[in-house]
Amino acid sequence: MDAFQGEGIFWLPGHEDDKVAGRITFDPKDGATLELIGRFDYFSERSGQFVRIVGVAARKVLTLDRCFRRTSGFEAPGVERETYRVNRILAGAHYDDDEEFIFDQVVFSFDHLLNWMEASLLTVDYQESKVRGRVDKVTATLEGFSKEEATFPDGRLCLGTSWQTDGDLINEATLRQSAYLQITYSTPQSLGAILNHVGALQDLITLTTDSPATPLYISMSPAAGHGANMDERVRVDFYAGQSSRRAPSSPAASDMLLTLQQVGGTQALAGWLGVAHRYGRVLGSLMAIRYSTFMYMENRFGNAINAAESFHRLRFSNALRPSADFKKYRQRIVDAVPEEDREWLKAQLQFSNEPRLRHRIEEMIEFSASGFAQVVEDADAWARLVVQVRNRLTHEDKRRPLKVNPGDLHYLSESVYLLVMLCLLSDTGVSPRMLTSLAQSPSILFLRDKIRGIVTPG
């Protein structure tokens, strides 16, 4: 998302007679801030609440949503000023105070998308001169890319490319190509549902390229009857501060874990939307490891373990015995102790039918389609170490201190991250052959050597 700023006028929906001049500033990293020269009289009655503000500035029709007042006061010689933190901006339409954001289509892109597709539309030919070292003619050809489509329960997903020219074509000329994703919904969707779909595909690109992907733009088509003073041709652009750190450059295909075609193409993208919805809690814990600019090693490890346990709970049975059998078994044990101890023992046995972390990890390793075995050679020793580290970090015991180096904790976190990722991709339908070949990527080979040294030191 591009930063922008500009001066204009702003007002509260339904209070057009209370317009105030101000300046809006948006930056993808820092978010958005509105600075007013004056104040809203109506809002002073609702101090402390979130508010929606509309206006015109930076050549944009703006709806500023979920704003809250940060500062308010007088500046010499008696000028009133207010500052608002703006959580998100919708540019292109004005929305009433309580009006829902409803759309039937979204177009968006990410900074790694074109590299991930391995879709180069441009070829350049050089015609050499008879004079050595000279070129008489340079021909640049930009060929179109056929759109690819796939359906999913909420609508249709389209993957396409576009191009544009820059320069005056006299002194310089530039050809630019880009890629985009488009979702057309069978029924109008809320902004929250749309952002979930965009975030899900962002997570998939981040997982498979092994580099944090960030949105370049998100543009939506309002459903009929939503958004004031606009017609069906208008699109609404979404702006919000990005929680993910941005990679300095897009990785080459050789540095990625899997390219789009290796994942399964556009059809796999559509399938992933369902997987991401099912495993939302898993991705929430897991992706923080990639998107955060800073995390303590203990937090990285904890997030990876939480993701693994959540995945197992959602994908596999969370009971070692059938529920009815376990209740009889537990009651038999409780009945065998003195009556005054039974309530305590019953409470202690309440969750004893759930798999332990070691069992969950082992089942996930088996589910990873041998991909994890290519990275961690001694899976049993690795699983014992991971469980031991989790126990020591969760339950401090001075008699049994944690015996790993801080750097080891980082690589153990990365290995658990990899296991969860493999399981998610396996559940998406990525072929076992692709999951196995993933182990040959440079970053995974490096991780394999580190894990080998940690699990079998010396």
Side-chain angles (χ1 to χ4, degrees), residues 312-321 355 359-360 363:
H312 188 276
R313 285 176 179 273
L314 292 168
R315 180 60 178 78
F316 301 100
S317 172
N318 198 45
L320 297 173
R321 296 170 177 241
H359 176 91
R360 297 183 192 277
E363 200 161 9

Side-chain angles (χ1 to χ4, degrees), residues 211-334:
S211 180
T214 53
L216 298 179
Y217 61 86
I218 301 173
S219 183
M220 298 166 290
S221 175
H226 292 271
N229 303 319
M230 54 181 287
D231 58 37
E232 61 183 9
R233 295 186 300 276
V234 173
R235 299 195 70 86
V236 173
D237 298 324
F238 178 82
Y239 297 89
Q242 300 299 302
S243 59
S244 62
R245 59 186 177 90
R246 187 163 190 175
S249 61
S250 292
S254 58
D255 294 325
M256 297 179 185
L257 302 182
L258 294 170
T259 63
L260 171 62
Q261 295 308 314
Q262 291 171 330
V263 169
T266 307
Q267 191 61 53
L269 296 185
W272 170 260
L273 292 176
V275 172
H277 177 73
R278 180 181 182 186
Y279 297 113
R281 286 183 297 163
V282 178
L283 288 166
S285 294
L286 192 70
M287 301 314 297
I289 296 174
R290 283 293 176 266
Y291 293 142
S292 297
T293 55
F294 173 80
M295 288 183 74
Y296 287 105
M297 293 299 173
E298 293 83 356
N299 294 132
R300 291 174 64 88
F301 184 80
N303 271 43
I305 291 294
N306 287 341
E309 289 193 293
S310 294
F311 178 88
H312 188 276
R313 285 176 179 273
L314 292 168
R315 180 60 178 78
F316 301 100
S317 172
N318 198 45
L320 297 173
R321 296 170 177 241
S323 179
D325 291 349
F326 174 72
K327 287 181 179 179
K328 294 177 181 178
Y329 176 74
R330 183 180 61 181
Q331 192 60 48
R332 191 163 62 249
I333 295 175
V334 169

Side-chain angles (χ1 to χ4, degrees), residues 149-153 155 157 197 200-201 204 263-279 424-430:
E149 295 188 352
T151 59
F152 71 109
L157 174 68
H197 287 147
L201 294 172
L204 179 61
V263 169
T266 307
Q267 191 61 53
L269 296 185
W272 170 260
L273 292 176
V275 172
H277 177 73
R278 180 181 182 186
Y279 297 113
L424 287 167
L425 294 177
S426 181
D427 215 24
T428 306
V430 178

Side-chain angles (χ1 to χ4, degrees), residues 125-182:
D125 296 320
Y126 300 91
Q127 182 177 317
E128 294 185 1
S129 170
K130 294 180 180 180
V131 180
R132 185 177 180 181
R134 290 183 57 182
V135 175
D136 283 344
K137 184 178 181 181
V138 178
T139 304
T141 305
L142 192 63
E143 297 182 1
F145 173 83
S146 299
K147 291 182 179 180
E148 296 181 357
E149 295 188 352
T151 59
F152 71 109
D154 291 328
R156 185 175 72 256
L157 174 68
C158 171
L159 175 64
T161 57
S162 60
W163 59 272
Q164 65 183 49
T165 59
D166 290 325
D168 57 13
L169 303 183
I170 299 175
N171 296 291
E172 64 177 4
T174 304
L175 287 173
R176 297 179 183 274
Q177 56 183 338
S178 58
Y180 66 88
L181 289 158
Q182 175 181 295

Side-chain angles (χ1 to χ4, degrees), residues 35 86 96 98 107 118 124 143 203 205 209 225 228 254 270 295 297 302 311 348 358 372 378 382 385 407 447-448 456:
E35 298 171 293
V86 181
D96 291 336
D98 56 354
V107 180
E118 297 182 285
V124 181
E143 297 182 1
D203 290 344
I205 296 174
T209 62
S254 58
M295 288 183 74
M297 293 299 173
F311 178 88
Q348 298 302 307
R358 174 72 180 274
F372 194 72
D378 191 343
W382 174 84
L385 180 59
L447 176 62
R448 184 183 67 182
T456 57

